[in-house]
Amino acid sequence: MVVELMKEAKCIVIFTGAGMSTESGLPDFRSDQGVWQTESPARVASINALNEKSEQFFKFYRTRVQGVRGHKPHKGHHILAKWQAAGIVDTIITQNVDGFHTAANSSDVLELHGTLGKVHCQNCQKEYDNIMYEKRAYYCECGGVLRPSVILFGELLDDGVITQAVKKSESADLFIVLGSSLTVSPANQFPLLAYKYGAKLVIVNEEETPYDHIASSVIRNEKIGDFLARIDNELND
Ligand code: APR
């Protein structure tokens, strides 16, 4: 079913969430082992937590920076990059901040929630490598606080990225969701927008999502890495 849809499609957009990176060893957020089972976003990942320069904020993001520095893309990321290079996939829109799609050589990835790859000064905007957090160096030369270049809870997404993601979602005729609970707005509006503009939806996710009922295909009992490897084989048959 999915291979047929991919062969018929003229513009395939891939939309990934944290479930895309669990097979790289990074936890997702809302499944049983998810980050939010033991942490509260408001306490550790919000603009308020940053403004209070809370130890919890620094500790939480130091752990996440160490996570992305200590892990790498898996076979699924590389298959998506191969499909994009071959012109099979047009664009990857991701909620993930691990940079693994780019690290796997995907191009022009739309990172809705920014990236842990860099930190920048909240005061003067100067950018630094994320190793600063590894070293517990949390302040800029100007005295301002350094924060990961991610969208914190309570912050708006980048206008440029949103505009691009809207354009791509509206032009997709096949929109494939990989590893997202589709519960966080506005990111979860992109699959809906694509559907409203006539795209078929495919959802690969171990748990139910609010959009399963409008999907042409829902794959629940296959890990994303295995799914992508199987489809890659079928495309080459
Ligand atoms: N294969 C298939 N599905 C998987 C896999 C896997 N290997 N691993 C996890 N999943 C599924 C989980 O069952 C879960 O439903 O991926 C989904 C991930 O959902 P969330 O943890 O909610 O992550 P996501 O949808 O990306 O969260 C969106 O919330 O906390 C914010 O900014 C954060 O970008 C994040 C946003």
Side-chain angles (χ1 to χ4, degrees):
M1 164 78 166
V2 175
V3 171
E4 287 65 41
L5 290 174
M6 288 180 71
K7 285 180 175 169
E8 285 157 21
K10 291 181 182 49
C11 179
I12 300 177
V13 171
I14 304 287
F15 180 90
T16 63
M20 180 74 216
S21 296
T22 54
E23 293 166 68
S24 287
L26 297 183
D28 63 18
F29 293 97
R30 293 173 185 79
S31 67
D32 294 349
Q33 303 74 31
V35 170
W36 299 145
Q37 302 304 335
T38 52
E39 273 295 5
S40 132
R43 206 173 72 92
V44 296
S46 66
I47 188 68
N48 290 339
L50 168 66
N51 291 337
E52 283 149 28
K53 301 182 185 55
S54 70
E55 274 319 303
Q56 297 95 325
F57 179 92
F58 291 131
K59 182 169 176 291
F60 176 70
Y61 277 106
R62 181 166 180 268
T63 306
R64 294 196 65 202
V65 163
Q66 287 173 318
V68 297
R69 292 177 66 87
H71 294 83
K72 59 186 190 331
H74 61 76
K75 68 182 176 192
H77 292 98
H78 292 288
I79 290 170
L80 291 176
K82 182 178 79 171
W83 287 356
Q84 190 181 27
I88 296 168
V89 160
D90 181 88
T91 301
I92 295 173
I93 302 174
T94 189
Q95 300 172 92
N96 299 339
V97 294
D98 52 40
F100 285 0
H101 287 302
T102 305
N105 289 324
S106 281
S107 52
D108 304 324
V109 178
L110 297 177
E111 295 179 313
L112 297 175
H113 295 157
T115 178
L116 285 170
K118 293 179 294 189
V119 297
H120 67 269
C121 175
Q122 185 73 349
N123 176 43
C124 72
Q125 305 309 314
K126 182 174 166 42
E127 285 188 356
Y128 294 79
D129 183 88
N130 64 5
I131 198 157
M132 296 293 274
Y133 262 55
E134 183 102 69
K135 295 176 177 171
R136 290 188 172 85
Y138 300 128
Y139 291 90
C140 176
E141 294 150 0
C142 80
V145 65
L146 297 182
R147 40 89 42 98
S149 300
V150 299
I151 304 292
L152 299 173
F153 283 90
E155 288 187 313
L156 296 175
L157 274 60
D158 175 88
D159 281 344
V161 173
I162 287 234
T163 304
Q164 269 289 84
V166 164
K167 198 162 135 266
K168 291 297 183 182
S169 299
E170 290 176 349
S171 50
D173 54 359
L174 180 58
F175 195 94
I176 302 177
V177 175
L178 301 173
S180 178
S181 61
L182 296 178
T183 50
V184 172
S185 176
N188 66 356
Q189 299 305 301
F190 291 108
L192 208 50
L193 181 67
Y195 177 74
K196 283 182 178 159
Y197 271 71
K200 288 193 169 45
L201 278 191
V202 170
I203 299 176
V204 186
N205 204 63
E206 280 175 332
E207 292 166 337
E208 212 173 314
T209 82
Y211 297 151
D212 289 354
H213 66 290
I214 57 172
S216 299
S217 177
V218 174
I219 289 98
R220 173 95 61 259
N221 52 9
E222 189 174 20
K223 291 258 179 225
I224 288 166
D226 295 335
F227 165 80
L228 291 171
R230 174 170 63 83
I231 298 297
D232 192 39
N233 286 334
E234 290 175 16
L235 281 173
N236 294 325
D237 279 354

